[in-house]
PDB file of all heavy atoms in Angstrom:
ATOM      1  N   LYS A 108     -25.042  11.375 -14.162  1.00 87.00           N
ATOM      2  CA  LYS A 108     -25.532  12.266 -13.115  1.00 87.00           C
ATOM      3  C   LYS A 108     -26.215  13.511 -13.682  1.00 87.00           C
ATOM      4  O   LYS A 108     -26.586  14.432 -12.942  1.00 87.00           O
ATOM      5  CB  LYS A 108     -24.370  12.687 -12.196  1.00 87.00           C
ATOM      6  CG  LYS A 108     -23.772  11.516 -11.417  1.00 87.00           C
ATOM      7  CD  LYS A 108     -24.803  10.859 -10.514  1.00 87.00           C
ATOM      8  CE  LYS A 108     -24.257   9.685  -9.763  1.00 87.00           C
ATOM      9  NZ  LYS A 108     -25.286   9.062  -8.878  1.00 87.00           N
ATOM     10  N   GLU A 109     -26.353  13.532 -15.022  1.00 85.00           N
ATOM     11  CA  GLU A 109     -27.025  14.643 -15.705  1.00 85.00           C
ATOM     12  C   GLU A 109     -26.408  15.985 -15.335  1.00 85.00           C
ATOM     13  O   GLU A 109     -27.095  16.962 -15.018  1.00 85.00           O
ATOM     14  CB  GLU A 109     -28.533  14.636 -15.397  1.00 85.00           C
ATOM     15  CG  GLU A 109     -29.222  13.364 -15.880  1.00 85.00           C
ATOM     16  CD  GLU A 109     -30.718  13.359 -15.595  1.00 85.00           C
ATOM     17  OE1 GLU A 109     -31.159  14.223 -14.805  1.00 85.00           O
ATOM     18  OE2 GLU A 109     -31.415  12.508 -16.157  1.00 85.00           O
ATOM     19  N   ILE A 110     -25.070  16.021 -15.369  1.00 85.00           N
ATOM     20  CA  ILE A 110     -24.310  17.246 -15.111  1.00 85.00           C
ATOM     21  C   ILE A 110     -23.742  17.726 -16.439  1.00 85.00           C
ATOM     22  O   ILE A 110     -23.043  16.973 -17.128  1.00 85.00           O
ATOM     23  CB  ILE A 110     -23.177  16.993 -14.101  1.00 85.00           C
ATOM     24  CG1 ILE A 110     -23.769  16.571 -12.748  1.00 85.00           C
ATOM     25  CG2 ILE A 110     -22.292  18.210 -13.951  1.00 85.00           C
ATOM     26  CD1 ILE A 110     -22.740  16.120 -11.739  1.00 85.00           C
ATOM     27  N   VAL A 111     -24.052  18.930 -16.828  1.00 81.00           N
ATOM     28  CA  VAL A 111     -23.592  19.437 -18.118  1.00 81.00           C
ATOM     29  C   VAL A 111     -22.077  19.594 -18.125  1.00 81.00           C
ATOM     30  O   VAL A 111     -21.399  19.164 -19.052  1.00 81.00           O
ATOM     31  CB  VAL A 111     -24.272  20.786 -18.454  1.00 81.00           C
ATOM     32  CG1 VAL A 111     -23.708  21.349 -19.769  1.00 81.00           C
ATOM     33  CG2 VAL A 111     -25.780  20.606 -18.550  1.00 81.00           C
ATOM     34  N   ASP A 112     -21.522  20.232 -17.076  1.00 79.00           N
ATOM     35  CA  ASP A 112     -20.078  20.445 -17.003  1.00 79.00           C
ATOM     36  C   ASP A 112     -19.666  20.555 -15.535  1.00 79.00           C
ATOM     37  O   ASP A 112     -20.007  21.522 -14.856  1.00 79.00           O
ATOM     38  CB  ASP A 112     -19.693  21.718 -17.766  1.00 79.00           C
ATOM     39  CG  ASP A 112     -18.175  21.905 -17.838  1.00 79.00           C
ATOM     40  OD1 ASP A 112     -17.449  21.042 -17.309  1.00 79.00           O
ATOM     41  OD2 ASP A 112     -17.730  22.907 -18.428  1.00 79.00           O
ATOM     42  N   TYR A 113     -18.956  19.574 -15.051  1.00 79.00           N
ATOM     43  CA  TYR A 113     -18.558  19.568 -13.632  1.00 79.00           C
ATOM     44  C   TYR A 113     -17.645  20.740 -13.306  1.00 79.00           C
ATOM     45  O   TYR A 113     -17.556  21.184 -12.155  1.00 79.00           O
ATOM     46  CB  TYR A 113     -17.868  18.249 -13.279  1.00 79.00           C
ATOM     47  CG  TYR A 113     -16.421  18.162 -13.701  1.00 79.00           C
ATOM     48  CD1 TYR A 113     -15.397  18.462 -12.801  1.00 79.00           C
ATOM     49  CD2 TYR A 113     -16.060  17.796 -14.993  1.00 79.00           C
ATOM     50  CE1 TYR A 113     -14.075  18.391 -13.165  1.00 79.00           C
ATOM     51  CE2 TYR A 113     -14.737  17.708 -15.365  1.00 79.00           C
ATOM     52  CZ  TYR A 113     -13.737  18.001 -14.457  1.00 79.00           C
ATOM     53  OH  TYR A 113     -12.424  17.929 -14.832  1.00 79.00           O
ATOM     54  N   LYS A 114     -16.950  21.286 -14.313  1.00 77.00           N
ATOM     55  CA  LYS A 114     -16.000  22.381 -14.074  1.00 77.00           C
ATOM     56  C   LYS A 114     -16.703  23.650 -13.582  1.00 77.00           C
ATOM     57  O   LYS A 114     -16.071  24.529 -13.016  1.00 77.00           O
ATOM     58  CB  LYS A 114     -15.207  22.670 -15.350  1.00 77.00           C
ATOM     59  CG  LYS A 114     -14.174  21.594 -15.667  1.00 77.00           C
ATOM     60  CD  LYS A 114     -13.431  21.863 -16.948  1.00 77.00           C
ATOM     61  CE  LYS A 114     -14.263  21.516 -18.159  1.00 77.00           C
ATOM     62  NZ  LYS A 114     -13.514  21.596 -19.423  1.00 77.00           N
ATOM     63  N   ALA A 115     -18.017  23.703 -13.802  1.00 73.00           N
ATOM     64  CA  ALA A 115     -18.773  24.876 -13.315  1.00 73.00           C
ATOM     65  C   ALA A 115     -18.780  24.936 -11.798  1.00 73.00           C
ATOM     66  O   ALA A 115     -19.023  25.994 -11.202  1.00 73.00           O
ATOM     67  CB  ALA A 115     -20.204  24.823 -13.849  1.00 73.00           C
ATOM     68  N   TYR A 116     -18.514  23.782 -11.149  1.00 70.00           N
ATOM     69  CA  TYR A 116     -18.500  23.728  -9.681  1.00 70.00           C
ATOM     70  C   TYR A 116     -17.139  24.099  -9.099  1.00 70.00           C
ATOM     71  O   TYR A 116     -16.980  24.184  -7.887  1.00 70.00           O
ATOM     72  CB  TYR A 116     -18.871  22.322  -9.191  1.00 70.00           C
ATOM     73  CG  TYR A 116     -20.287  21.925  -9.520  1.00 70.00           C
ATOM     74  CD1 TYR A 116     -20.560  21.151 -10.641  1.00 70.00           C
ATOM     75  CD2 TYR A 116     -21.354  22.325  -8.711  1.00 70.00           C
ATOM     76  CE1 TYR A 116     -21.865  20.774 -10.953  1.00 70.00           C
ATOM     77  CE2 TYR A 116     -22.659  21.951  -9.010  1.00 70.00           C
ATOM     78  CZ  TYR A 116     -22.907  21.179 -10.143  1.00 70.00           C
ATOM     79  OH  TYR A 116     -24.192  20.810 -10.442  1.00 70.00           O
TER      80      TYR A 116
END
Side-chain angles (χ1 to χ4, degrees):
K108 295 299 179 180
E109 298 181 347
I110 297 172
V111 176
D112 186 1
Y113 79 96
K114 287 178 283 188
Y116 295 97

